[in-house]
Amino acid sequence: MKTKQVPVIIMLVAGLVTCILGFTMHMESAKFVQTLVIVLVSFYILGCIAKLVLDKNFKEEPEEEATEEAGEESDSEETDGSEEITEESIEESTEK
């Protein structure tokens, strides 16, 4: 799962909400900038924590394990006793 953008998206959404509320409440510029910086930093940290939780809970299966499982499946297909009929096996049987 691609979670690289999660902290940035959370931070920007919180900043947008803060900007809208600041403009509608007619906040002073200094107070608005101070509030905005605090909100952006705090929500970036919360976004990083959310990213860690998502990464921990939704791990992607490593490629090595996937190839090992595929190898086991092909081994079981080879040993199931059924033989595929190919052109080579037909030619061999007709030559005998």
Side-chain angles (χ1 to χ4, degrees):
M1 182 176 193
K2 296 181 181 180
T3 58
K4 185 177 180 180
Q5 296 87 9
V6 169
V8 175
I9 291 171
I10 291 174
M11 178 185 71
L12 289 175
V13 170
L16 177 68
V17 171
T18 304
C19 287
I20 292 170
L21 289 175
F23 289 136
T24 57
M25 294 175 56
H26 303 288
M27 291 178 70
E28 295 178 12
S29 296
K31 181 74 173 171
F32 172 72
V33 171
Q34 181 183 13
T35 305
L36 182 63
V37 169
I38 292 171
V39 166
L40 291 177
V41 170
S42 61
F43 274 90
Y44 183 76
I45 292 169
L46 287 174
C48 289
I49 293 170
K51 178 186 179 302
L52 290 173
V53 169
L54 288 172
D55 287 341
K56 183 177 179 183
N57 290 324
F58 296 106
K59 292 181 185 175
E60 290 186 15
E61 190 172 299
E63 293 182 16
E64 294 175 5
E65 290 180 12
T67 55
E68 288 176 8
E69 288 177 5
E72 290 173 1
E73 289 176 5
S74 65
D75 290 343
S76 64
E77 289 175 0
E78 291 174 1
T79 59
D80 66 355
S82 64
E83 186 177 317
E84 289 186 26
I85 300 176
T86 60
E87 291 180 20
E88 293 175 3
S89 62
I90 294 173
E91 289 175 5
E92 289 175 8
S93 62
T94 55
E95 289 175 1
K96 293 180 183 177

